[in-house]
Amino acid sequence: MMKKIGIIAAALTVALSAAPLQAKVSSADAAKLGTELTPLGGEKAGNADGSIPAWNGGITSAPAGYKAGDFHPDPYAGEAPLFTITGANYKEHAAFLSDGLIKMFETYPESFKLPVYKTHRSASNPQFVYDATKANATRAELLDGGNGMSGAAIGIPFPIPANGLEAIWNHIARYRGQAVQRNGGQAAVTASGDYNVIGFDEQLLIQYSQDNATPESLLANNVLFMFKQKVTEPARLAGTALLVHETLDQIKEPRKAWTYNTGQRRVRLAPNIAYDTPGTAADGLRTTDDFDMFNGSPNRYDWELKGKKEMYVAYNNYKLHSNTVTYGDILTPNHVNPDLTRWEKHRVWVVEASLKDEFRHIYQKRVFFIDEDSWQIQLADMYDNRGELYRVAVAYGVNYYEVPTQWSTLDVYHDLNSRRYLAIGLDNEEQMYDFSVRPAETEFTPQALRREGMR
């Protein structure tokens, strides 16, 4: 499946061991951002056969009638699929599928399908993010071992990546606004289609993206973002809460995490909220570092930038995002309802992470497919310690017009062994994300966590 990797000059097949960890981009290369490259480093031109168009700025204004707080209307609602990939014809399209998607067709040949639509390069960010990205390009560096970075703020740190670590840091630091309040939940779906929704209230405060953020201030405070999560349902779990302070330099100071347990009414340090610790109320279907497709310290893996590839990825999934569908409409046996999904051909960076000999993790290898226009991980294939495909993760993306940012509306983790899946980000029956919130840092303390859990 890797034969077609490396379709543009910038997509060199570079092993991490062959590339310096502190490579900087020249002023001449940085000048390509916004000209032959997009402002975030993607290839601006379309592909040879026209199936991927040129990037022309993405979505820069919301559809008529939209206002912040609404569910985001589908700007492409009148389009029909160009074709549908099914268990009967997937081999004809294998060159544009990840190994994980191929395995999904083999596992669920009667029901899994990809409705493929016209490609729209809809990803966009504010101009100040583009300006910051160009500034970062000539000054950003990976810190010793790649477990942190310096010289970057607000924008993508490494828009022209030299290695896999730089590419994964681009995903971790991609722009998602300055703060967001999310109400929704997740569901672990059995092979027969049964599920219970776990409700969450979440707040995310992103120091890296604040208006006044500078490389110097970020390193001094050493906080990338703060995240707070409270379980709202079912009743037996309600009030359980989690607080995370994600650090920028993880050598200087590892991630800090605290949990609040309603039964004990105590806040406890949680140093194990990292790596392959099972995710909160996820029924063992994802790891902590699976959240947001990948998060946390990259230190347990060797990261290799394999190049670029044209692939079908889940893009512009406004139908799946709509408040006109229910969780019951979405959560069907074996996988989410494919009739609600939209797949498009896009160029993605391919990054392979191989577990270092001295570390343990339930994933021996991970392959990430990262959108060139947003640095959002679109797909991830995870392999067990036998080298067998174990899990397949899909991020179903939309453009949140009010920010704007390309981000997922639903992240789905498929466990191929148990034939179960976990859907995170269910909000169709809740309020839409609120990107206008500006919580104070004092709301992200252990004391605030205890108050949150007791409400």
Side-chain angles (χ1 to χ4, degrees), residues 182-243:
R182 305 194 298 188
N183 304 98
Q186 67 184 30
V189 184
T190 68
S192 62
D194 294 331
Y195 63 88
N196 291 308
V197 174
I198 307 295
F200 292 115
D201 283 347
E202 296 176 337
Q203 280 191 320
L204 179 65
L205 177 63
I206 309 174
Q207 269 81 351
Y208 181 84
S209 300
Q210 299 303 308
D211 290 334
N212 60 352
T214 65
E216 295 74 21
S217 67
L218 288 168
L219 270 185
N221 294 324
N222 199 32
V223 177
L224 185 67
F225 64 77
M226 297 178 180
F227 175 74
K228 184 169 62 177
Q229 179 188 74
K230 182 179 75 171
V231 178
T232 59
E233 60 173 322
R236 62 183 174 82
L237 297 176
T240 301
L242 170 69
L243 173 66

Side-chain angles (χ1 to χ4, degrees), residues 395-410:
Y396 292 89
V398 298
N399 186 306
Y400 291 86
Y401 310 133
E402 68 271 42
V403 183
T405 184
Q406 184 79 17
W407 197 8
S408 61
T409 181
L410 197 67

